[in-house]
Structures are given as structure tokens and as C-alpha cells.
Amino acid sequence: MAYTKRFDGRGFEEIRKMSAEVGIISRAKGSARFQIGDTIAIAAVHGPRELHPRFLRKPDKGVLRCDYDMVSFSVSERKRPGSSRRSMEISHVTGKSIEPVLDLSKYPNTVIDVFITIPQANAGTRCAGICAASLALADAGIPMKDLVVAISVGKAGDKVVMDLTKEEEDHAEGATDIPVAMTPRNGEYTLLQLDGDISKDELKEALVLAKKGCDEIYTLMQKTLRDSFKEKK
Ligand code: ADP
């Protein structure tokens, strides 16, 4: 059956309502909250600081360590607390998607820790986490070549759609989830995952949507950082 109207009434190319803020955690060097629809991500940055245990240190560069976790009340069924294969995978790909914009050679023997917590989840949490982490790193004053911006696109039923909700991911006719992260200035992908089926032409269409979504998020992220720098002055 054709998917003619989105469950939440949005247009197929429409992103959910977003908001962002930085400097929300006083003990962290940098921090941010990024919300997209009902999905909320909070990120805190600590470091660069000495890396322990010692054998993990790299004498020529710093280590970026990302830790992603969903709290147990973030989803309707209680999520089992603690690490899982899913959270380890998301922590790993988050680090890989952010590392290209950092010059870690400036910080030998140290670690930059990025803690990402999801207090509320309705799909797209890894992408929201990447946006929050990127904002928190900028808030921490870590030099970055660009921000990293992320959005999930894909297919719900027979339609290519922007920014899927959990309800759409669970679509009875099948859904495809494509989390994408990119550096908006040069349009390079730093993350591209695909869960589901999609044709080559539909994938091309979805990636055009991802670029559009990332541009919208980039505008919000830039404004959030500009406003916070003005406040600090
Ligand atoms: P992402 O959140 O990046 O889209 P997934 O595709 O793995 O990553 O998860 C999709 C959504 O499924 C999550 O955003 C969340 O709403 C829900 N979800 C993930 N893990 C659980 C869980 N353990 N219990 C209930 N819902 C979950």
C-alpha cells in the first residue's frame, strides 16, 4: 500500500522541528543539547586531558573517545541500562564521523572525551548525538575545520522521506534508515549507513534530501554558536 500521508503530518521532504543550545553543563569544558522532534541528545566534552591507562596514549596525536548511551526512560519500554553492541557501534561511528574535522596532532598523549546521552528517543538518535557532539566540541573551543552535521533519511513504505520517526521506521510495509553525516562546507560524507532496501535512484534522491536537511541543521548550529559567543563577550 502506498504511504500517502506521514504519520505526523509532515511533508515527505520536511525535517522535524529543531532546537539547540550550548553551554548547558557547567562542569564540562563544552556542552550542548540538540533536539529534533521528540529526539533529544545531550553532549559533554572533557579534555584534552592525560589519557589513562598509559599504553593507550599516542605520542604523535590525541585520541578522540566518544561514548553514546540512551537512558533507561528514553523509550517507551524501559531500555536495559548500560553498554550494548548497539551503543558500542554508535559510539564508534560517531567518533569516526567527527574525527576528520579535528586536528588531533595538536594534542599528543591526551584524550578528548565526548559523552553523548539520549534522554528521549524517537529515531535518529545517532545523528542528533553527532550534531550535539559537534556543537559541544565547538563550545569547548577545540579547533575544528568545520562542524559535522547529521540527519537520517530513507524510505517509509514506497516514499523517500526526510528525518524518519520511530513509527515510520516500524512501518508495516518496510522502512529503510540511512543515517548520514557530512561536513557542510565541502559536502564530504563522514558517515553513511544503510539499514533496509533501496534502489540506486532512490538512494540518490535520499542523499539530495540529506544535503537539504544538513544545510537546515547547519544554519541552526551556526546561529546557536554565534549567539553563545555574543553572550560570552
Ligand atoms: P537511531 O536512533 O540512530 O535511529 P537505531 O536505528 O538503532 O538508531 O534505533 C532507532 C530507534 O529505535 C531509536 O531512536 C529509538 O527510538 C528506538 N530504540 C533503540 N533502542 C531501543 C531499545 N533498546 N528499546 C526501545 N527502543 C529502542
Side-chain angles (χ1 to χ4, degrees):
M1 224 174 62
Y3 185 48
T4 50
K5 194 169 179 305
R6 293 185 85 170
F7 294 125
D8 60 5
R10 265 183 301 150
F12 292 112
E13 301 196 356
E14 201 181 324
I15 205 162
R16 288 178 283 182
K17 193 166 170 284
M18 299 180 287
S19 66
E21 58 182 323
V22 292
I24 57 164
I25 298 165
S26 59
R27 283 182 188 278
K29 183 158 185 208
S31 56
R33 180 190 60 82
F34 181 83
Q35 177 159 8
I36 184 160
D38 294 333
T39 291
I40 303 174
I42 290 171
V45 171
H46 293 266
R49 58 187 178 187
E50 255 184 21
L51 176 56
H52 294 286
R54 237 186 145 84
F55 73 88
L56 291 176
R57 287 184 195 169
K58 296 199 171 145
D60 55 335
K61 62 175 205 164
V63 171
L64 174 70
R65 194 161 56 185
C66 291
D67 181 80
Y68 162 103
D69 194 21
M70 287 195 342
V71 301
S72 41
F73 54 80
S74 61
V75 284
S76 39
E77 294 287 307
R78 178 175 177 274
K79 182 232 158 217
R80 229 179 105 232
S83 180
S84 62
R85 279 182 63 158
R86 177 179 173 272
S87 69
M88 282 161 67
E89 181 238 335
I90 297 179
S91 299
H92 178 75
V93 298
T94 298
K96 289 282 172 204
S97 73
I98 292 174
E99 212 172 300
V101 301
L102 303 177
D103 182 3
L104 294 171
S105 66
K106 283 198 166 81
Y107 310 110
N109 295 313
T110 69
V111 61
I112 299 174
D113 273 310
V114 182
F115 298 103
I116 299 162
T117 300
I118 307 296
Q120 193 169 285
N122 184 351
T125 63
R126 79 193 61 204
C127 293
I130 290 168
C131 294
S134 179
L135 281 170
L137 283 160
D139 183 51
I142 310 281
M144 297 164 82
K145 292 176 211 150
D146 198 353
L147 289 169
V148 181
V149 178
I151 184 76
S152 169
V153 291
K155 260 184 91 178
D158 61 338
K159 291 285 184 316
V160 171
V161 296
M162 168 92 89
D163 185 22
L164 282 80
T165 60
K166 178 71 177 148
E167 208 179 357
E168 286 178 325
E169 281 190 0
D170 295 343
H171 196 275
E173 304 293 322
T176 303
D177 181 26
I178 310 171
V180 173
M182 59 171 72
T183 49
R185 271 199 233 149
N186 59 11
E188 271 180 25
Y189 296 109
T190 62
L191 172 78
L192 180 59
Q193 294 184 289
L194 198 156
D195 183 12
D197 295 326
I198 197 156
S199 72
K200 193 171 159 188
D201 285 343
E202 286 168 338
L203 178 60
K204 280 187 187 162
E205 205 185 313
L207 292 179
V208 171
L209 274 193
K211 175 77 176 78
K212 178 175 174 281
C214 283
D215 285 344
E216 283 180 46
I217 299 172
Y218 186 43
T219 303
L220 171 69
M221 286 168 69
Q222 280 180 306
K223 183 180 180 314
T224 305
L225 289 168
R226 257 197 313 267
D227 289 352
S228 90
F229 292 145
K230 270 189 223 152
E231 274 170 30
K232 278 180 195 162
K233 270 189 183 169

